[in-house]
Amino acid sequence: DQVTLFGSSLSNKSCTKSGWMRKANGWTAVAAQYERSKKRWFELHGDTLYYYRFVPPEAGRGKALGFVVVGGRDAEVKAGRSREIVVSTPKRPYHLYLDNPRDHASWLHVLLQANSAGPG
């Protein structure tokens, strides 16, 4: 089973976690980030976090809007303000928001693991 997301082959990368988060533009003013954020479906495959406008028809299938490599020394994952996760890359910061503390803790845990595991 080979899956293509945003031009990447994921035949050997299983989905670690998936679900809804809100994503704000990294350059939006801090006070307006949540209000201007957009709800996206996210899937973590290895050290790469893909995001979609809608839930793919089958988990892991469909065209991703984009992706963020969270693994390695060039990326930093940290808890932000209330229910926020900030993924900083050399190109830009990504501000992700969760609806509740349980989901925030769960996503933060897997993203920190992917970050510390490095590329792969």
Side-chain angles (χ1 to χ4, degrees), residues 4-106:
T4 301
L5 300 171
F6 209 73
S8 299
S9 172
L10 297 178
S11 57
N12 296 324
K13 295 182 181 179
S14 63
C15 182
T16 306
K17 184 163 182 62
S18 62
W20 291 105
M21 288 192 275
R22 297 185 67 84
K23 182 180 87 59
N25 180 323
W27 306 116
T28 303
V30 173
Q33 282 176 345
Y34 182 82
E35 291 78 16
R36 293 188 180 169
S37 65
K38 294 184 176 158
K39 192 172 183 180
R40 298 288 185 238
W41 180 259
F42 285 83
E43 292 185 355
L44 180 63
H45 294 265
D47 68 344
T48 305
L49 184 64
Y50 294 88
Y51 54 94
Y52 304 83
R53 183 171 284 122
F54 306 106
V55 178
E58 296 177 52
R61 300 197 187 280
K63 287 265 186 192
L65 291 174
F67 65 93
V68 183
V69 177
V70 298
R73 60 187 168 138
D74 288 339
E76 179 186 14
V77 176
K78 64 182 179 180
R81 296 179 308 275
S82 176
R83 298 188 315 257
E84 176 189 32
I85 297 171
V86 180
V87 179
S88 298
T89 68
K91 287 186 176 184
R92 62 174 268 207
Y94 293 83
H95 298 268
L96 310 173
Y97 299 92
L98 287 299
D99 290 335
N100 61 66
R102 190 184 78 223
D103 288 343
H104 178 264
S106 177

